[in-house]
Amino acid sequence: MVKWRYAVILDAGSSGTRVYVYRWLDSARARQSASPKELKSLPEIKTKKHWTKKIQPGISTFADKPSRVGPDHLDKLLKHALDVIPEPDVKDTPFFLLATAGMRLLSDADRDRILSEVCSYVKSHSNFLVPDCGIHIQVIPGATEGLYGWIAANYLLDSFDGDTDAHESGHHTYGFLDMGGASAQIAFVPSEAEARKHANDLTLLRLRNLDGSIQEYKVFVTSWLEFGVREARRRYVEALQKSAGGPKTKEIPDPCLPDGLRTSLDGKPVSSESRETQLFGTGRFDECLELTYPLLDKDAPCPDEPCLLHGIHVPAIDFNVNHFVGISEYWHTTYEIFEMGYKDKAYDFNTYQERVNQFCSQDWSAIEKGISEHRWGSKVDEDKAMEVCFKASWIINMLHSGIGIPRVGLDSVKASTQNGTKEVLEHGKEKGYLSTFQAVNEIDSTEVSWTLGKAVLYASSLIPVGENDLPVGFGSNQPGVPPDFQYPSIRGPTIIKETDFETWREALFGGESPRRIPGLLLFLLIVVIMAFYLCGRNRRGRIYHKLQSFFGHKGSRFSRGLGGKLLGLRLNSPAYERVMEEGGLDLGEMSGSSESDRGDSLDYDSSKSPSKRSSLFNGSNTPTLKFELDNGSGSSIGLGISNIHDRQGMVLRNDSREHLVPAVASGSRSRAGSPTRMYRKSPVLAPMDGEQ
């Protein structure tokens, strides 16, 4: 029985592709040692840091050379995954490449060409499980990416392990925020009042516990394309250039760059003598905040109230109920520089903005010196330092002016009629997520990545259930299985019927029970007995004689007692093999039958005329019959013995010539010496004409 299950998931982002390998116990094994609480929990997914690998750039850069995406990009990631997963498990390990915002910005034709090349390369260079490229290799919508991230964050925060009935408000999950290079996502479960008001805007998510019971959540998820830091920066530079007089202007002041730093429009350092259009930093962070605020597009028309950004509908957020965690750029921009160099790690709006002001107002030469001294940690290089002031202003505007998260120390949280705040705080107290917003990178040493959410969903779908149970996945907020329901993989493996055989197999081969060895021996004994009775009467007779010679002479207690009964033989009679009774069947009665009607296993002299075939079973004309061992034949009956039927459906007896003589007799082949044979019937043959 399989012990571990694996999944390989590639996050094909705008700036690079990262491979993740996840592992969990097979559900049958996990249930053997699970406590009652664990049986009501989702599968335990594990990963390790060295199981992850990232390469750059993103696959979207292969739009003009799609044939190179395999050898130049995927090859290293496939080899890394194959080094992690044991070779026997590869064929059962699903492979997913899920592309995000970078690929969303390409044309449909460019996307299709790249994905087609990815599918072909993975199938030809690995044995990973890819039953449907349309599901396993695709560009996922931003809402799906946000939902996977919401699953991952709440899974690591143990939000799915609690008893929902224990929370008076029924609310015990965290909100989720993600920001990459091209897009930003938000996912949360609204308060009960908002959920009723905006039921049609919610996504139904269904997960399955180890014991087969389900967990369902109604989550609001949305995504803002072009609201990631790279795309926001592009829009910001375009606005700067336009306000400065257009493309003819060669020098443009940029308050989001440290004082004294000069870059090209795409952010590369340049000298003052360069003739290309360049940005020169002024180090005015307050002005930077003002210039990035319009990028939120909060004044866009809102056809479905309420909206947050860019006219996109979002239900009202009750921050007394919804506490958020943020990953990716929310983490990198708040932690790598503005917390690494300080003892106090807690997020506080006043403290954070003060540190950003202090950093960005420095002269660029002072920042370069701090980088060389590793003042902000070894991960901070010049490229990150050049970008961080813009990123910080964008993060602050997104969090507080865009989404509306209260500025700790300045804004008060609006009173709520929901009483879920205490439960949420108690639930996350040990992990320290007490603030309305907390940037995270890892929880319990596991990276918070949306790919983990995909792995949780897939592992949950493999848990055996009844045939009529609802499947794992997500779709529109409708009962049952809505038309747009998304399965974790192909639909087939999601429903597995657990049989009694599976229970026996686990009892015999799994677990640490002291009865495991006796059970295994009993199982082997049953297999031997079954094989013994299936081997045929003749072979059983030969086995008996061997046992007889081993235990004693023919009249011993063994031969008279248990041995004879088990073998089903008449042991007081001469040991004859099966013979064909005279007059049993006259082939001449099958008028007009061809040789093919009699079956390929019948071998006779083809020179005989049809008129003589009626006596083939008499005297010296007894035919030679063959047992064909081709079990693939349509006339085979299990052990390779071919059936021969006449046109009325009668079964012909076709024992071979060598079995027509007594096993212990010699000399004449007379049939008169068979005193007990008579008309013993085979249990697998239909009665012949004349038999009763």
Side-chain angles (χ1 to χ4, degrees):
M1 182 171 60
V2 175
K3 179 178 181 180
W4 295 108
R5 298 283 184 178
Y6 294 85
V8 176
I9 305 176
L10 272 62
D11 172 6
S14 58
S15 60
T17 303
R18 190 187 300 267
V19 59
Y20 294 86
V21 177
Y22 296 103
R23 184 180 75 175
W24 63 96
L25 270 178
D26 179 76
S27 58
R29 283 206 177 239
R31 286 195 299 271
Q32 291 174 2
S33 58
S35 66
K37 181 178 180 181
E38 290 169 338
L39 287 173
K40 291 294 183 182
S41 302
L42 301 174
E44 185 177 5
I45 312 294
K46 294 292 185 182
T47 188
K48 298 179 181 180
K49 289 184 178 180
H50 67 272
W51 290 1
T52 301
K53 181 181 180 65
K54 182 178 181 179
I55 60 175
Q56 294 176 323
I59 63 172
S60 58
T61 60
F62 289 86
D64 58 345
K65 47 181 178 180
S67 62
R68 301 305 305 169
V69 70
D72 294 351
H73 193 77
L74 293 176
D75 186 64
K76 296 178 182 178
L77 301 175
L78 280 176
K79 289 179 178 177
H80 180 81
L82 290 170
D83 287 341
V84 173
I85 299 172
E87 194 278 333
D89 295 319
V90 170
K91 68 181 186 303
D92 297 318
T93 298
F95 175 95
F96 296 92
L97 182 142
L98 305 178
T100 56
M103 289 282 284
R104 294 178 205 136
L105 297 173
L106 297 181
S107 66
D108 292 344
D110 286 341
R111 283 198 302 267
D112 291 343
R113 281 193 292 267
I114 293 175
L115 296 179
S116 177
E117 289 292 336
V118 170
C119 177
S120 299
Y121 192 85
V122 172
K123 287 194 169 185
S124 62
H125 288 77
S126 75
N127 291 322
F128 285 123
L129 182 63
V130 186
D132 186 341
C133 282
I135 295 176
H136 283 242
I137 299 172
Q138 61 169 308
V139 179
I140 59 174
T144 300
E145 181 183 355
L147 183 64
Y148 289 159
W150 182 87
I151 296 173
N154 283 281
Y155 177 81
L156 292 175
L157 288 166
D158 298 332
S159 300
F160 297 136
D161 293 343
D163 183 358
T164 56
D165 295 333
H167 302 277
E168 295 181 16
S169 67
H171 199 106
H172 59 283
T173 59
Y174 286 82
F176 172 77
L177 297 172
D178 189 8
M179 181 182 292
S183 65
Q185 289 79 38
I186 183 172
F188 65 99
V189 174
S191 64
E192 291 183 2
E194 288 295 305
R196 288 192 298 268
K197 190 184 304 183
H198 303 283
N200 293 335
D201 302 319
L202 306 182
T203 297
L204 174 66
L205 169 68
R206 186 179 298 120
L207 301 167
R208 193 172 303 284
N209 298 322
L210 280 176
D211 65 353
S213 60
I214 63 173
Q215 296 189 40
E216 287 189 349
Y217 298 90
K218 298 175 181 179
V219 188
F220 177 82
V221 190
T222 195
S223 178
W224 296 286
L225 189 59
E226 297 186 339
F227 276 64
V229 288
R230 194 192 67 250
E231 286 298 302
R233 170 75 178 174
R234 178 189 59 78
R235 294 191 289 130
Y236 168 75
V237 171
E238 289 177 357
L240 276 183
Q241 192 174 20
K242 184 178 180 179
S243 64
K248 296 182 179 180
T249 306
K250 295 301 180 182
E251 288 190 346
I252 303 173
D254 185 354
C256 294
L257 288 178
D259 189 21
L261 175 63
R262 290 177 176 267
T263 72
S264 61
L265 295 180
D266 59 0
K268 304 298 181 182
V270 296
S271 64
S272 57
E273 290 80 15
S274 175
R275 294 185 177 181
E276 64 178 310
T277 302
Q278 58 185 260
L279 305 172
F280 64 91
T282 61
R284 301 295 300 272
F285 189 72
D286 53 343
E287 293 182 13
C288 180
L289 284 171
E290 292 179 7
L291 291 178
T292 53
Y293 176 82
L295 300 176
L296 298 175
D297 198 19
K298 289 184 70 67
D299 296 331
C302 178
D304 185 10
E305 294 283 352
C307 297
L308 288 182
L309 312 169
H310 198 51
I312 295 177
H313 168 75
V314 178
I317 304 173
D318 185 343
F319 290 103
N320 271 325
V321 172
N322 294 112
H323 290 236
F324 283 82
V325 294
I327 68 170
S328 302
E329 284 299 338
Y330 290 111
W331 163 261
H332 298 304
T333 304
T334 58
Y335 180 80
E336 285 188 339
I337 290 183
F338 304 119
E339 288 190 347
M340 279 294 292
Y342 304 88
K343 293 181 180 180
D344 183 10
K345 308 297 183 186
Y347 182 88
D348 174 89
F349 177 80
N350 280 335
T351 304
Y352 179 69
Q353 187 157 331
E354 181 181 334
R355 292 174 183 175
V356 174
N357 268 316
Q358 182 182 7
F359 179 90
C360 296
S361 61
Q362 294 180 84
D363 185 80
W364 177 244
S365 59
I367 294 176
E368 286 182 308
K369 182 180 178 181
I371 294 172
S372 64
E373 295 174 350
H374 301 293
R375 178 179 173 184
W376 301 285
S378 59
K379 293 184 178 180
V380 176
D381 55 19
E382 290 188 2
D383 289 339
K384 291 183 178 179
M386 286 189 293
E387 300 171 346
V388 74
C389 295
F390 170 81
K391 288 183 176 181
S393 68
W394 180 238
I395 292 294
I396 289 173
N397 275 318
M398 274 288 292
L399 285 175
H400 305 297
S401 299
I403 298 172
I405 291 177
R407 295 169 171 84
V408 178
L410 295 180
D411 300 342
S412 60
V413 179
K414 183 179 178 180
S416 171
T417 58
Q418 306 295 324
N419 55 5
T421 304
K422 180 179 179 181
E423 287 83 358
V424 171
L425 296 181
E426 290 293 331
H427 191 60
K429 183 177 293 183
E430 292 185 0
K431 292 182 170 64
Y433 303 105
L434 303 178
S435 304
T436 306
F437 170 78
Q438 177 69 54
V440 299
N441 184 46
E442 294 181 350
I443 298 175
D444 287 345
S445 301
T446 300
E447 180 182 353
V448 185
S449 167
W450 62 261
T451 56
L452 173 61
K454 174 65 177 181
V456 170
L457 196 68
Y458 180 84
S460 176
S461 72
L462 296 184
I463 295 174
V465 295
E467 295 179 354
N468 297 322
D469 288 347
L470 293 171
V472 167
F474 58 92
S476 298
N477 185 21
Q478 301 175 17
V481 183
D484 61 349
F485 196 78
Q486 300 290 308
Y487 295 85
S489 182
I490 60 174
R491 187 175 304 188
T494 58
I495 300 295
I496 304 173
K497 179 67 175 177
E498 187 172 27
T499 63
D500 293 337
F501 172 74
E502 184 71 16
T503 304
W504 271 93
R505 188 179 69 173
E506 291 180 21
L508 290 173
F509 299 104
E512 303 297 332
S513 171
R515 300 185 183 137
R516 178 180 174 188
I517 299 301
L520 177 59
L521 295 177
L522 176 61
F523 177 77
L524 293 176
L525 177 61
I526 293 172
V527 171
V528 170
I529 294 174
M530 290 177 62
F532 177 75
Y533 276 100
L534 289 174
C535 70
R537 188 173 181 181
N538 291 333
R539 292 183 181 176
R540 291 204 306 270
R542 288 195 293 270
I543 293 173
Y544 163 73
H545 290 300
K546 291 181 180 180
L547 292 175
Q548 186 184 58
S549 62
F550 178 80
F551 285 101
H553 58 82
K554 182 167 57 177
S556 67
R557 180 178 299 177
F558 174 81
S559 64
R560 293 193 301 270
L562 181 61
K565 293 179 180 179
L566 286 175
L567 295 173
L569 301 173
R570 296 191 177 188
L571 299 174
N572 293 326
S573 304
Y576 281 84
E577 300 273 351
R578 291 184 60 185
V579 297
M580 184 61 64
E581 302 302 328
E582 294 188 17
L585 181 66
D586 187 352
L587 292 181
E589 296 172 3
M590 300 188 303
S591 60
S593 71
S594 65
E595 297 175 9
S596 61
D597 290 335
R598 302 185 188 101
D600 293 337
S601 62
L602 179 60
D603 186 15
Y604 57 89
D605 189 351
S606 62
S607 65
K608 295 181 182 295
S609 65
S611 63
K612 296 180 180 180
R613 290 175 187 171
S614 61
S615 61
L616 284 177
F617 282 149
N618 296 322
S620 61
N621 291 332
T622 302
T624 300
L625 303 178
K626 296 180 180 179
F627 286 145
E628 296 292 346
L629 299 180
D630 181 8
N631 287 332
S633 171
S635 61
S636 175
I637 55 171
L639 295 177
I641 303 175
S642 301
N643 285 340
I644 306 176
H645 298 268
D646 66 4
R647 290 183 180 271
Q648 284 75 34
M650 299 295 291
V651 181
L652 305 186
R653 304 188 179 204
N654 55 355
D655 293 324
S656 68
R657 175 188 291 267
E658 60 182 311
H659 292 159
L660 295 177
V661 298
V664 296
S666 61
S668 174
R669 295 185 179 181
S670 173
R671 305 166 72 90
S674 178
T676 60
R677 171 72 181 177
M678 298 305 290
Y679 288 97
R680 178 178 296 275
K681 299 179 181 179
S682 170
V684 297
L685 297 180
M688 302 288 292
D689 291 339
E691 291 185 346
Q692 300 298 326

